[in-house]
Amino acid sequence: MGKEKPSKLEQQLCFEVYKASSNFAKLYAKTLEPYQLTFPQYLVLLALWEEDHLQSKDIGNRLELGIGTLNPIINRMMERGWLEKKQSMEDKRASIISLTEKAKNAEKEIELSIIKKITSCNILDVNAITLMSQLKELNAFLSKMEE
């Protein structure tokens, strides 16, 4: 028997990107579960591990998340002891978000858990550098189209 023709849906790049995003989120969610972190919360940690003591708006800009989406994430992380919030000295209307000692101490362990999970799934067999480059080009192109 001949191979079935792919459906219109299966021929769409946007559908494959959507599925990949969803599958990555699920993979990370399982890996982050022992830390009681969600994938978006992990992304906030990544931003702060790179540069601690940021305003909410700066975190939002880095993650391309609106404040309405970001604030509940930050609040939940504060409740669970990952983040602290203090009023900015420079701008009394702004808050500075900082890592707690718990978050600083967990960075290496979480990073190793994720590397272990990705390696065990053989994701690294894919040329990750080429894929990342192509996805960045695609996202830059799509962002320009929105303007």
Side-chain angles (χ1 to χ4, degrees):
M1 291 187 81
K3 189 176 177 185
E4 286 187 38
K5 182 179 174 189
S7 71
K8 288 183 181 185
L9 184 61
E10 293 170 327
Q11 293 176 32
Q12 300 298 311
L13 175 62
C14 60
F15 183 59
E16 289 304 319
V17 170
Y18 166 77
K19 285 190 336 187
S21 174
S22 177
N23 286 326
F24 261 110
K26 288 175 191 171
L27 176 73
Y28 275 76
K30 275 187 173 178
T31 308
L32 296 167
E33 195 172 25
Y35 305 99
Q36 293 186 313
L37 288 168
T38 64
F39 183 61
Q41 290 170 346
Y42 170 69
L43 296 177
V44 170
L45 286 177
L46 279 178
L48 289 167
W49 283 332
E50 190 173 313
E51 183 181 352
D52 201 0
H53 314 294
L54 293 173
Q55 288 187 21
S56 298
K57 68 177 183 176
D58 295 326
I59 296 170
N61 289 340
R62 290 174 189 208
L63 301 179
E64 297 185 18
L65 291 175
I67 291 298
T69 302
L70 184 61
N71 279 339
I73 294 170
I74 288 173
N75 290 337
R76 175 78 42 88
M77 294 179 77
M78 288 172 46
E79 290 168 11
R80 293 197 176 144
W82 292 101
L83 303 177
E84 299 172 330
K85 184 191 287 190
K86 293 183 181 165
Q87 189 175 33
S88 171
M89 296 298 200
E90 292 84 36
D91 181 354
K92 299 295 182 197
R93 298 167 296 165
S95 296
I96 301 297
I97 309 300
S98 303
L99 297 166
T100 61
E101 285 304 310
K102 172 184 174 177
K104 290 174 188 175
N105 294 336
E107 180 180 4
K108 292 291 180 219
E109 183 182 337
I110 292 171
E111 188 177 271
L112 287 173
S113 294
I114 288 171
I115 289 170
K116 184 179 174 185
K117 184 67 168 184
I118 289 173
T119 303
S120 72
C121 296
N122 291 322
I123 292 174
L124 299 179
D125 286 348
V126 173
N127 189 334
I129 294 169
T130 301
L131 181 58
M132 177 80 84
S133 173
Q134 291 172 335
L135 287 172
K136 284 182 179 187
E137 285 177 28
L138 176 63
N139 285 322
F141 174 77
L142 294 173
S143 292
K144 284 181 185 172
M145 289 188 67
E146 286 180 13
E147 294 171 0

